[in-house]
Amino acid sequence: LMDEARIARALEQVYVQAWESRLRSNPGSRTMRGNSAAELLADARRLRETARLTEARAACEKILQEKPDQPEAVTLLWDLAFDAGSPGAATDWLNRAIAADNGVAAFHYMLGCVLQAQQKTDDAIASFRRALALDPSDAKAHNNLGCTLEAAGNLAAAAQCYREAIGLDPNMAHAHYNLGNACRQMGDAKQAIQHIERALASEPAHADWRSNLGSLQYEQLQLDEAISNLQKAIALDPGFDRAYSALGGALVFAGRVEEAGAAFGKALELKPSRADVESWALLSLHYGLGENAPTLFDRHLAWAKRHARGLPRATTHRGVGQDAGRRLNIGYVSPDLMR
C-alpha cells in the first residue's frame, strides 16, 4: 500500500499530465483576450484594497483561465482566499498552476500553506518539501515545514527546520519564536528564552509571545523579568486571562501577595470556569490570611462545591486500624519539594 504522501504525488502527476495535454491540444487558450493580464491584475489589486473580494477573485480567475501559471494572479488569488477566511478556495487554481508549470517553488509553497491551514498535515509536508527541493533558500518554506512537522509530532526535525530558516534569514521573528517553543518542549529553557527574546526584539507587539516568555522566566524563577514581561503582555491585550494567571503565580513567588490576588481575580473575571486559577488564588490567601483559619476553610469548601463534585477518587485505600500504640506513617504532598 502507498502512504498518503506517495498517493498525493501520484495524483499530482496525473493532474499535471492531463493539464499539459489540454494545453497542447489548445495552444490558442494561452492568448489573453480582451483586457490584458496587467490591467486585470491592477483591477484585482484595487478591488482587494476596497474589500471587494469576490470581484477581485473574478478578475484573477479570468487571467488564470487563459494562463493558469501566471504567477502574480496565482499569488493574488491565494492572498484573497486567506483574506476571505477560506484558503481551500485556492486549491484548484494552485493545482492548475502546478499542472501548467511543476517547477515553480512558490506554487508548491502556497499549496502547502493552504493544506496546512486545512490541517492536512502530511499533504502540507509533501508540498513544502517539494518547494524546498526546487528552492532550498526559501526561509518561509523551512519555517512552515517546521510547523507542520511539529504538528505531526516530529519535534527534533521541526527544530532543525526553524534553525535552517534562521540561518537563511536571521531576523525572521516567527522562526525564532517557533524554535523557542520547540526548545521549551525539549526541556532547554535557556535556549527557549533566548530565541523568544530575539523574536520579540524584531516584533515586540505580540501579547502571546510576551506571555510565553514571562511564563518561561517564571518557571526559571527569574521573577523580575517574568513579572515585567507578563505586565507588558497584559498591556498589549487586557483581555488575556492566561497572562493574568501567570502574573499571579509570579507575584506569589515574589511575595507580593495582594497584587497576586488582584491578578488572579482579573483572570477569574475574564474566565470564571478556571478552577486551577481559583486554586492558586486560594493558595495565595494562606500568605495573607494565614491566621484566619475559618475564612480559609470556608473559601476552600466553596471551591470544592463548585469544582470537585462528581470527580472520581484518584485512589482507593484499605481500611486502617486504630490499634493503640500503632506507629503512624505520615506523607508530605507538595508540588514544590523538587525545589
Side-chain angles (χ1 to χ4, degrees):
L1 292 176
M2 293 190 296
D3 59 29
E4 290 185 10
R6 290 177 62 197
I7 291 170
R9 288 194 295 272
L11 289 173
E12 180 184 288
Q13 187 59 36
V14 170
Y15 200 109
V16 168
Q17 291 170 352
W19 193 259
E20 287 175 344
S21 175
R22 178 180 173 183
L23 291 174
R24 282 193 298 271
S25 65
N26 186 17
S29 66
R30 282 186 169 274
T31 303
M32 187 65 60
R33 295 182 295 272
N35 293 342
S36 70
E39 290 172 334
L40 285 169
L41 274 171
D43 288 342
R45 293 190 186 101
R46 284 193 295 269
L47 289 164
R48 183 190 182 198
E49 290 170 2
T50 56
R52 296 161 64 182
L53 303 185
T54 301
E55 295 167 81
R57 185 165 58 248
C60 291
E61 289 175 354
K62 185 174 181 180
I63 298 169
L64 296 173
Q65 285 166 358
E66 302 281 348
K67 184 170 172 48
D69 58 341
Q70 212 288 340
E72 292 86 355
V74 173
T75 303
L76 184 53
L77 190 66
W78 176 72
D79 286 333
L80 287 164
F82 276 91
D83 288 346
S86 54
T91 304
D92 185 51
W93 293 104
L94 285 165
N95 280 322
R96 293 188 190 191
I98 290 168
D101 188 346
N102 192 39
V104 179
F107 294 162
H108 295 279
Y109 169 76
M110 288 186 278
L111 181 58
C113 291
V114 168
L115 295 166
Q116 183 182 18
Q118 295 176 318
Q119 298 182 343
K120 297 178 179 178
T121 304
D122 291 340
D123 292 338
I125 289 171
S127 287
F128 288 132
R129 282 182 168 153
R130 177 60 179 160
L132 287 168
L134 292 166
D135 181 8
S137 66
D138 188 341
K140 289 184 178 179
H142 282 288
N143 180 62
N144 283 35
L145 176 58
C147 292
T148 52
L149 288 168
E150 185 172 344
N154 194 342
L155 196 59
Q160 183 57 37
C161 286
Y162 301 141
R163 292 188 179 95
E164 294 282 353
I166 291 167
L168 291 163
D169 183 355
N171 295 317
M172 181 180 282
H174 283 80
H176 278 288
Y177 178 71
N178 291 336
L179 181 55
N181 270 338
C183 290
R184 179 179 190 173
Q185 294 177 73
M186 292 188 291
D188 190 343
K190 182 178 179 181
Q191 283 292 311
I193 288 171
Q194 288 179 1
H195 283 291
I196 297 177
E197 285 178 334
R198 180 68 181 273
L200 284 164
S202 298
E203 295 187 18
H206 289 272
D208 54 338
W209 297 8
R210 188 72 65 178
S211 177
N212 285 345
L213 175 59
S215 296
L216 265 169
Q217 291 167 328
Y218 161 41
E219 291 169 7
Q220 298 300 304
L221 298 181
Q222 299 173 13
L223 298 181
D224 290 340
E225 296 88 342
I227 290 168
S228 174
N229 277 306
L230 290 164
Q231 288 172 334
K232 288 176 182 177
I234 290 167
L236 289 166
D237 182 0
F240 198 170
D241 65 283
R242 285 194 298 110
Y244 280 107
S245 59
L247 176 60
L251 288 166
V252 166
F253 270 61
R256 295 158 61 175
V257 180
E258 290 186 7
E259 294 172 77
F264 290 135
K266 185 63 178 179
L268 290 169
E269 178 186 320
L270 292 165
K271 190 165 286 188
S273 62
R274 287 199 57 180
D276 60 325
V277 175
E278 191 174 352
S279 179
W280 260 103
L282 291 176
L283 177 63
S284 70
L285 291 178
H286 285 266
Y287 308 120
L289 297 173
E291 74 288 350
N292 193 337
T295 298
L296 286 174
F297 180 79
D298 289 343
R299 294 284 296 272
H300 283 72
L301 190 61
W303 181 94
K305 288 178 179 178
R306 278 192 296 277
H307 302 296
R309 287 183 182 276
L311 291 178
R313 291 179 62 91
T315 61
T316 56
H317 300 281
R318 60 183 175 81
V320 178
Q322 297 185 11
D323 301 332
R326 185 179 65 83
R327 187 186 183 105
L328 294 177
N329 294 317
I330 299 174
Y332 294 88
V333 181
S334 169
D336 305 312
L337 294 176
M338 80 290 285
R339 302 192 184 195

XYZ file of all heavy atoms in Angstrom, residues 4 87 112-125 148 151:
130
model
N 0.186 8.114 2.293
C -0.577 9.263 1.814
C 0.269 10.202 0.962
O -0.207 10.755 -0.034
C -1.169 10.021 3.006
C -2.274 9.256 3.693
C -2.930 10.074 4.800
O -2.646 11.281 4.886
O -3.701 9.508 5.571
N -9.120 29.467 2.783
C -7.922 29.164 1.983
C -8.119 28.028 0.990
O -7.484 27.987 -0.058
C -6.863 28.827 3.032
C -7.617 28.547 4.289
C -8.852 29.368 4.223
N 1.137 24.267 0.012
C 1.453 23.779 1.353
C 0.784 24.604 2.431
O 0.259 24.068 3.416
N 0.773 25.935 2.252
C 0.122 26.807 3.236
C -1.382 26.548 3.310
O -1.973 26.546 4.396
C 0.380 28.272 2.893
S 2.093 28.788 3.106
N -2.005 26.321 2.138
C -3.437 26.013 2.110
C -3.695 24.701 2.842
O -4.603 24.601 3.683
C -3.944 25.939 0.657
C -5.352 25.344 0.606
C -3.939 27.321 0.024
N -2.918 23.681 2.543
C -3.089 22.381 3.185
C -2.815 22.462 4.687
O -3.483 21.814 5.492
C -2.161 21.359 2.523
C -2.484 21.051 1.055
C -1.325 20.300 0.402
C -3.774 20.253 0.942
N -1.835 23.276 5.059
C -1.528 23.487 6.478
C -2.715 24.131 7.191
O -3.097 23.716 8.290
C -0.287 24.371 6.600
C 0.191 24.616 8.019
C 1.401 25.536 8.048
O 1.689 26.241 7.078
N 2.122 25.545 9.148
N -3.333 25.136 6.556
C -4.496 25.796 7.150
C -5.669 24.839 7.287
O -6.503 24.983 8.193
C -4.899 27.000 6.301
N -5.754 23.848 6.398
C -6.822 22.848 6.454
C -6.463 21.679 7.361
O -7.217 20.713 7.454
C -7.118 22.335 5.046
C -7.680 23.392 4.103
C -7.862 22.858 2.697
O -7.012 22.146 2.161
N -8.989 23.184 2.088
N -5.305 21.752 8.025
C -4.812 20.713 8.927
C -4.592 19.379 8.208
O -4.708 18.316 8.807
C -5.748 20.550 10.128
C -5.849 21.806 10.977
C -6.721 21.638 12.191
O -7.527 20.710 12.298
N -6.591 22.534 13.147
N -4.274 19.447 6.927
C -3.895 18.257 6.162
C -2.377 18.148 6.235
O -1.649 18.472 5.291
C -4.398 18.368 4.729
C -5.921 18.417 4.629
C -6.389 18.566 3.184
C -7.912 18.599 3.100
N -8.399 18.780 1.704
N -1.913 17.704 7.382
C -0.504 17.830 7.740
C 0.420 17.081 6.789
O 1.431 17.636 6.318
C -0.289 17.348 9.188
O -1.149 18.099 10.055
C 1.147 17.544 9.622
N 0.118 15.825 6.501
C 1.020 15.038 5.647
C 1.121 15.636 4.249
O 2.211 15.701 3.666
C 0.529 13.588 5.571
C 0.695 12.854 6.897
O 1.504 13.319 7.724
O 0.018 11.840 7.105
N -0.022 16.065 3.698
C 0.000 16.668 2.366
C 0.779 17.991 2.378
O 1.504 18.303 1.425
C -1.430 16.918 1.873
C -2.180 15.623 1.605
O -1.515 14.591 1.388
O -3.417 15.639 1.616
N 0.606 18.761 3.449
C 1.336 20.027 3.556
C 2.840 19.777 3.618
O 3.632 20.488 2.974
C 0.876 20.796 4.790
N 3.249 18.776 4.382
C 4.676 18.438 4.466
C 5.224 18.107 3.084
O 6.305 18.574 2.692
C 4.882 17.254 5.442
C 4.641 17.714 6.894
C 6.292 16.674 5.304
C 4.606 16.571 7.897
N 4.594 22.205 10.347
C 3.832 21.003 10.028
C 4.475 19.761 10.635
O 3.778 18.852 11.098
C 3.682 20.836 8.502
O 4.957 20.924 7.877
C 2.782 21.913 7.922
N 3.490 19.735 14.194
C 2.109 19.274 14.320
C 2.015 17.758 14.170
O 1.147 17.119 14.768
C 1.230 19.961 13.288
